[in-house]
Amino acid sequence: MEKIPIQVTVNGQSHQAEVEPRMLLVHFLREELGLTGTKIGCDTSQCGACVVMMNGATVKSCTCLAVQADGADIGTIEGLANGNDLHPIQEAFWDNHGLQCGYCTAGMIMTAVEMLERNPHPSADEVRAGLEGNICRCTGYQNIVKSILAAAEKIGG
Amino acid sequence: MTTRIFGSGIRRREDPRLMTGQAAFTDDIKLLGLLHAAILRSPHAHAKINSIDTSAARAAPGVLAVYTGADTDGVLNPIPCAWLPPDSDIKAVPHPALAVDTVRYVGDGVAVVVAESRYQAEDALELITVDYGVLPSVINPKAAMDPGAPQLHEDAPNNQAFHWVVAGGDADAAFETAAGDPQNHVVVSENIIQQRLIPHAVETRSAIANWQSAMGELTLWSTSQNPHIVRFLCSLVTGVGEHKIRVIATDVGGGFGSKIPMYGDEMVTAFCSMQLRRPVKWTETRSEAYLATTHGRDHVQHVEMAATKDGKITALRVVVHAGMGAYLSTAGPGVPTILHGLMYSGPYDIPNIKGDVYGTFTNTTPVDACRGAGRPEATFLLERMIELLASELDIDPVEMRRRNLIQPFEDGHDVATGVTYDSGNYQGTLDLAMQQLDYPALRQEQAELRSHGQYIGVGVTTYCEICGLGPSQVAGAVGFGGGLWESAIVRFYATGKVNVFIGTSPHGQGEETTFAQIVSDELGVPVEDIEVIHGDTDLTPMGWGTYGSRTTVVGGGAVALSARKIKDKGKALAAHLLEAAEEDIEYEDGKFFVRGSPDQNKTIQDIALMANVAWNMPEGMEPGLEATTFYDPPNFSYPFGAHVAVVSVDPDNGHIVLQRYIAADDCGPQINPVIVEGQVHGGVVHGAGQALWEGVVYDDNGQLLTGSLLDYAVPRAHMVPDMEILSTVTPSPHNPLGVKGIGETGTIASTVTIYNAVLDALKPLGVTKLEMPLTSERVWRAIQQAKGA
Ligand code: FES
Ligand code: FES
């Protein structure tokens, strides 16, 4: 299959690559760039394990082609912490037992990043509604919601 | 003394790697020269394979090989079932890794393609043509035994996989007495369907096999809850010596029972690597997982309960048809028998119990454990029947339970099913839950709302469950094909840092933290200085895995005992170094000191250094500071509790809102209460899924109609409320820490609690029975039907 050249900036670093037009963004990140923090939990755009930031908004990277990300600025879970300093949302997930197996966590945290940017002081119901596209089988969501509310408090003051 | 680390809700030690994308789940791992496999699966529920043409696939770009059952047959041994309940006439039918001449469910593996990339492997799958001769199929576990039903296996007439019986007292006589004396007795009966579920860990299965031919060694990364069992069974299937197999399952994205079994797919992956002498990865797609990863539940139950008119239960009789799917999965037959029938007494005194469990073969995905595994199905039938009895006798359902609860006990209580509960105070958790609820006020509110045409309902459950599996002798006696002990090595280095190597393998339950807390509590080493290692059979001592809420109970016991051995050795070495008698050495908070003179002391770190350099050891003492324990518990553990659900039902559209959920559980002393709460949260929501949203649907031809997240409704955040979590502490007398399992209690109790709450809400509308899941449509239809009646 013919390959197409793309340029993508991921976590601040620019990458040039040639990809098949059908390659999914999540496969590009995981297989080509080795950024395996972004997970795959389904093949119908339902679970949210693959959520990344693209030009400042969340996308399900399993539902986006790598070629669609040409020229884009992508943020993944690997780029969220500042060196050894965790992002306040990561810190809040840690403080509030917001993860168990950790498989949904990258998607949850990336979703929360955008959620709090749009709505710095969400109610618990708004947080729950905002997680509509993310599935967690371990936590029953309670501590994920708690984590996001705690992060909002910390970030928003 | 500082706050005790045991019992403290510290942050988890495993979280940093999981929150930053640095964890290594199986599909995250890449090896040089890695090939990719994709598996072709049967589109038919039952068919003869007339022929398979793989030539076009073989010629496709990037493809190295295509194998079918003809290639694996005789090279790979059949996939074994590892739980064969005795005296049940069980038919352990052969289960080939790839189908040889017959496919028996949609999803049965038929062929495998290995290619340089995953995309190429999947492209080539589409080029394989299979000529199938379609056969009739059977889906329902009870209908499978009907005369004339399509037969799955020659060796299993009437599709009967097994018939297992549990009996205590004389249930038949008790029912006769009840029938003969209707003045003083009442009998209720009900048909209950425990619908089939999909466990649905968010990580699908994945495997990487790396065969090193020169050494004859196989390394297998596998998404498993029990890597040592995988090593054992992999050796049986591939013929590679167990000592030449290394299984790695460090970071696993949830299991919920579906990652207990040995599957054909992982063994096919190993086969491919052994043939091609290159590492091979196979990762399941979610669509594939629906078909190829084990399902749970699938019971058709007929239940009868007899009681005296004053509400004392006299007997329980149950007939279960439990679907096993097309083959017996690794632990499948143990689930509706040992883990189900033995709990027919629940927390109640029921003198006469009889259960007949028929395992049946159907043209469906094999069934194995799904969080709770057998106990939710037992709790459901008990709690439903008690509700019916209460209604029949016009006794308040909570009072009905109180009249039958076993009185508090601290060390052993025998029930009619033949098991001995460890300790219990069922009234304690019920009282706590009722206080939290304010039951009288809620009933009043319910009555008021009803008069305005609004319907809320309350469900109250008291439960007791069996977990902490379990004594190995009992495992052998109940047909479990392995032991159920655990082992742990606690190793101190000269620097005072500690590794704890455990055989069992958590995958989200947090034992990297709680086991560090155990060691820290026993030996006074800060948790930061302790690293718990698990999930690699080359690094860790033997263990039987994480399921049946056993890791903390059994594995934690092994860790505690190893730590105590270290303390004993530390005392002896301290006595030598302090030139004191061993009897005069005391230990507190990480220090060994001479009684009466705390200044004369050696810290555990001093001891670790001196033991590791061994410059000055007492006569006969070995160097090093390390201890190993193989711990086999003398009994199971029996956690218990009381759960309450409050729901509202909109009579106009059947929509149910779970308004409140209270869980009052007793799992003995809690090592980390935050982790305990998290386990309960997840368990309750999983059980709520069964009550309200989740259910597998097959059509009559065995096509799975709920084969994606669009059709199979896993609970999402906005569908559930914040839960109210409470606890009491009744230690188990049987293990070193007094702990009981908590990983499954939420699921065990919540399904029926929510179900009973909904039926309570619907009572004034005349609805007395509903099949799960209680979707709005079903509820609405039932309301309409009751109106019409
Ligand atoms: S993997 Fe993208 S939504 Fe599930
Ligand atoms: S923590 Fe396991 S799926 Fe969310």
Side-chain angles (χ1 to χ4, degrees):
Chain A
M1 208 173 285
E2 194 202 335
K3 293 198 172 181
I4 293 178
I6 56 171
Q7 180 279 325
V8 188
T9 303
V10 183
N11 301 331
Q13 198 181 330
S14 173
H15 299 269
Q16 312 275 346
E18 298 211 330
V19 299
E20 286 185 23
R22 63 175 175 170
M23 176 174 267
L24 299 175
L25 176 59
V26 69
H27 288 146
F28 177 71
L29 294 171
R30 289 177 54 82
E31 306 298 327
E32 305 297 313
L33 303 187
L35 294 170
T36 54
T38 302
K39 302 299 180 207
I40 302 171
C42 73
D43 45 16
T44 53
S45 303
Q46 294 286 306
C47 76
C50 62
V51 169
V52 299
M53 295 295 254
M54 183 158 144
N55 299 329
T58 53
V59 291
K60 288 183 168 172
S61 61
C62 73
T63 313
C64 176
L65 296 168
V67 291
Q68 289 176 290
D70 186 20
D73 192 355
I74 304 284
T76 72
I77 191 73
E78 286 92 342
L80 201 56
N82 185 0
N84 281 334
D85 293 337
L86 293 174
H87 186 279
I89 296 178
Q90 289 171 315
E91 195 77 34
F93 269 68
W94 196 9
D95 288 343
N96 293 284
H97 191 24
L99 60 149
Q100 291 184 22
C101 79
Y103 200 80
C104 70
T105 309
M108 289 288 179
I109 289 177
M110 297 312 286
T111 302
V113 168
E114 191 199 34
M115 191 193 296
L116 296 187
E117 270 168 19
R118 292 193 175 187
N119 180 3
H121 299 287
S123 67
D125 282 348
E126 286 171 335
V127 172
R128 286 184 181 273
L131 294 176
E132 209 241 352
N134 295 70
I135 286 180
C136 174
R137 192 56 145 171
C138 298
T139 63
Y141 303 101
Q142 187 153 331
N143 286 342
I144 293 178
V145 174
K146 196 174 165 197
S147 301
I148 296 174
L149 291 172
E153 195 131 306
K154 211 187 293 177
I155 299 169
Chain B
M1 180 143 181
T2 46
T3 331
R4 198 176 159 196
I5 188 80
F6 188 110
S8 156
I10 60 168
R11 302 197 295 190
R12 296 202 319 172
R13 317 245 320 116
E14 44 272 80
D15 285 354
R17 70 172 185 274
L18 296 165
M19 296 184 307
T20 53
Q22 290 177 20
F25 294 89
T26 303
D27 191 52
D28 299 341
I29 291 159
K30 262 193 184 178
L31 302 178
L32 278 178
L34 187 63
L35 299 172
H36 298 264
I39 294 176
L40 183 71
R41 299 187 181 278
S42 169
H44 301 293
H46 199 188
K48 283 272 163 224
I49 300 174
N50 295 326
S51 63
I52 306 179
D53 182 355
T54 59
S55 50
R58 276 176 215 274
V63 171
L64 280 93
V66 182
Y67 303 110
T68 69
D71 301 304
T72 53
D73 190 33
V75 182
L76 292 180
N77 291 312
I79 306 301
C81 173
W83 202 342
L84 306 172
D87 306 319
S88 67
D89 191 23
I90 189 161
K91 313 291 189 200
V93 297
H95 181 187
L98 284 178
V100 180
D101 49 16
T102 307
V103 287
R104 294 186 173 84
Y105 65 99
V106 173
D108 217 349
V110 172
V112 59
V113 173
V114 190
E116 294 288 351
S117 83
R118 171 136 192 204
Y119 282 51
Q120 289 171 327
E122 292 193 6
D123 286 346
L125 274 194
E126 295 182 10
L127 301 174
I128 300 174
T129 43
V130 186
D131 177 19
Y132 291 103
V134 178
L135 299 167
S137 52
V138 62
I139 309 307
N140 181 287
K142 187 150 185 276
M145 287 185 69
D146 288 348
Q151 298 292 297
L152 270 82
H153 299 279
E154 230 164 74
D155 301 340
N158 300 321
N159 295 319
Q160 182 179 309
F162 59 83
H163 174 206
W164 179 86
V165 177
V166 59
D170 190 340
D172 292 341
F175 276 99
E176 232 169 84
T177 306
D181 180 15
Q183 284 295 31
N184 296 306
H185 293 84
V186 59
V187 174
V188 288
S189 69
E190 183 71 300
N191 293 316
I192 296 172
I193 294 187
Q194 277 288 327
Q195 82 272 31
R196 185 181 268 257
L197 300 180
I198 288 172
H200 222 298
V202 179
E203 179 201 35
T204 58
R205 282 185 298 133
S206 177
I208 304 169
N210 190 16
W211 171 249
Q212 287 118 325
S213 56
M215 295 301 290
E217 287 174 356
L218 178 67
T219 305
L220 184 70
W221 284 261
S222 179
T223 47
S224 175
Q225 298 175 223
N226 29 248
H228 291 272
I229 292 186
V230 171
R231 181 181 63 187
F232 175 41
L233 297 179
C234 176
S235 160
L236 299 182
V237 174
T238 59
V240 178
E242 207 178 341
H243 63 308
K244 295 278 197 180
I245 299 173
R246 175 183 189 184
V247 178
I248 303 174
T250 308
D251 286 322
V252 175
F256 313 106
S258 70
K259 290 172 183 169
I260 298 170
M262 163 58 75
Y263 291 88
D265 305 328
E266 284 80 340
M267 294 300 90
V268 167
T269 308
F271 171 89
C272 293
S273 177
M274 292 169 80
Q275 293 292 315
L276 299 167
R277 300 181 172 216
R278 279 177 65 178
V280 177
K281 180 193 277 188
W282 165 79
T283 299
E284 200 179 40
T285 65
R286 175 59 61 189
S287 302
E288 207 178 0
Y290 277 97
L291 303 172
T293 291
T294 49
H295 295 176
R297 313 276 191 271
D298 202 22
H299 287 199
V300 176
Q301 304 171 336
H302 178 70
V303 193
E304 300 161 281
M305 188 176 262
T308 57
K309 283 254 161 103
D310 60 356
K312 278 292 289 174
I313 302 167
T314 58
L316 175 76
R317 198 158 55 188
V318 186
V319 179
V320 177
H321 287 82
M324 290 288 102
Y327 303 96
L328 297 181
S329 178
T330 308
V335 173
T337 54
I338 314 305
L339 295 178
H340 173 72
L342 294 184
M343 287 315 292
Y344 279 164
S345 201
Y348 308 111
D349 261 322
I350 305 179
N352 305 293
I353 292 176
K354 184 172 180 212
D356 281 278
V357 180
Y358 296 91
T360 63
F361 290 114
T362 57
N363 294 106
T364 58
T365 299
V367 172
D368 208 300
C370 174
R371 199 169 192 169
R375 289 93 85 209
E377 299 93 311
T379 303
F380 191 101
L381 69 86
L382 274 174
E383 293 304 297
R384 190 60 204 144
M385 298 316 282
I386 287 178
E387 206 74 7
L388 294 178
L389 266 185
S391 171
E392 185 76 22
L393 294 170
D394 204 19
I395 297 174
D396 176 85
V398 176
E399 173 57 24
M400 182 73 200
R401 288 173 171 83
R402 286 196 190 277
R403 288 187 196 176
N404 290 282
L405 286 177
I406 295 165
Q407 291 304 307
F409 59 99
E410 282 173 8
D411 194 2
H413 180 89
D414 296 336
V415 292
T417 56
V419 293
T420 304
Y421 297 170
D422 54 354
S423 59
N425 181 356
Y426 309 135
Q427 291 79 359
T429 43
L430 180 56
D431 290 344
L432 191 61
M434 298 317 286
Q435 258 171 31
Q436 175 81 4
L437 175 66
D438 194 351
Y439 188 53
L442 189 96
R443 286 291 184 202
Q444 208 177 333
E445 185 191 345
Q446 182 181 42
E448 272 164 32
L449 286 170
R450 276 179 188 171
S451 66
H452 297 111
Q454 288 178 302
Y455 299 92
I456 64 167
V458 58
V460 177
T461 289
T462 42
Y463 77 91
C464 159
E465 66 115 340
I466 183 170
C467 67
L469 319 178
S472 299
Q473 213 181 349
V474 178
V478 298
F480 185 79
L484 282 172
W485 46 268
E486 282 303 324
S487 63
I489 300 168
V490 176
R491 178 180 298 158
F492 273 76
Y493 302 110
T495 51
K497 310 288 185 198
V498 184
N499 270 149
V500 180
F501 302 87
I502 57 169
T504 185
S505 198
H507 43 279
Q509 299 85 349
E511 275 89 1
E512 288 180 37
T513 305
T514 49
F515 284 8
Q517 286 179 267
I518 294 172
V519 173
S520 174
D521 184 65
E522 295 282 345
L523 294 169
V525 183
V527 283
E528 296 73 34
D529 289 356
I530 304 166
E531 206 63 42
V532 178
I533 311 292
H534 64 85
D536 182 336
T537 60
D538 264 12
L539 294 178
T540 61
M542 181 64 198
W544 294 92
T546 293
Y547 46 81
S549 302
R550 64 186 299 279
T551 283
T552 300
V553 179
V554 189
V559 170
L561 292 176
S562 285
R564 289 173 197 175
K565 286 178 188 169
I566 296 227
K567 199 184 287 175
D568 289 343
K569 182 167 182 177
K571 249 186 200 171
L573 182 52
H576 175 73
L577 296 172
L578 294 167
E579 294 175 357
E582 202 180 320
E583 311 81 74
D584 294 335
I585 299 294
E586 291 200 350
Y587 167 85
E588 207 181 296
D589 279 352
K591 276 194 184 119
F592 300 91
F593 56 92
V594 181
R595 183 173 309 118
S597 26
D599 290 349
Q600 265 188 287
N601 68 60
K602 295 280 170 198
T603 65
I604 183 77
Q605 288 81 6
D606 297 335
I607 295 295
L609 175 63
M610 292 310 288
N612 273 289
V613 296
W615 291 331
N616 181 10
M617 301 294 276
E619 185 76 26
M621 183 181 282
E622 292 175 4
L625 193 61
E626 160 168 343
T628 302
T629 302
F630 295 83
Y631 174 64
D632 200 353
N635 193 2
F636 299 94
S637 79
Y638 295 85
F640 58 88
H643 284 208
V644 180
V646 180
V647 302
S648 66
V649 182
D650 185 336
D652 294 332
N653 57 19
H655 184 62
I656 296 168
V657 176
L658 183 53
Q659 294 188 330
R660 274 184 88 179
Y661 198 94
I662 301 167
D665 300 294
D666 191 324
C667 62
Q670 301 181 3
I671 302 167
N672 184 319
V674 174
I675 290 179
V676 168
E677 281 195 12
Q679 289 297 306
V680 177
H681 292 158
V684 166
V685 170
H686 203 145
Q690 178 176 10
L692 299 175
W693 306 291
E694 295 181 37
V696 170
V697 182
Y698 280 106
D699 73 7
D700 291 343
N701 298 318
Q703 294 297 331
L704 182 67
L705 302 182
T706 49
S708 89
L709 275 165
L710 296 161
D711 307 295
Y712 188 86
V714 170
R716 291 168 189 264
H718 66 281
M719 296 154 82
V720 290
D722 266 351
M723 293 153 263
E724 299 157 58
I725 309 295
L726 309 163
S727 61
T728 60
V729 177
T730 307
S732 172
H734 291 147
N735 64 66
L737 300 169
V739 294
K740 305 183 180 196
I742 194 68
E744 297 167 287
T745 56
T747 316
I748 289 165
S750 70
T751 305
V752 71
T753 308
I754 294 165
Y755 182 93
N756 280 338
V758 172
L759 272 283
D760 182 56
L762 292 172
K763 214 182 217 172
L765 296 168
V767 178
T768 54
K769 191 178 170 160
L770 275 170
E771 250 180 54
M772 294 187 290
L774 305 174
T775 57
S776 303
E777 182 190 340
R778 253 188 206 156
V779 173
W780 180 80
R781 281 186 195 285
I783 295 170
Q784 298 310 309
Q785 212 176 357
K787 266 190 197 161

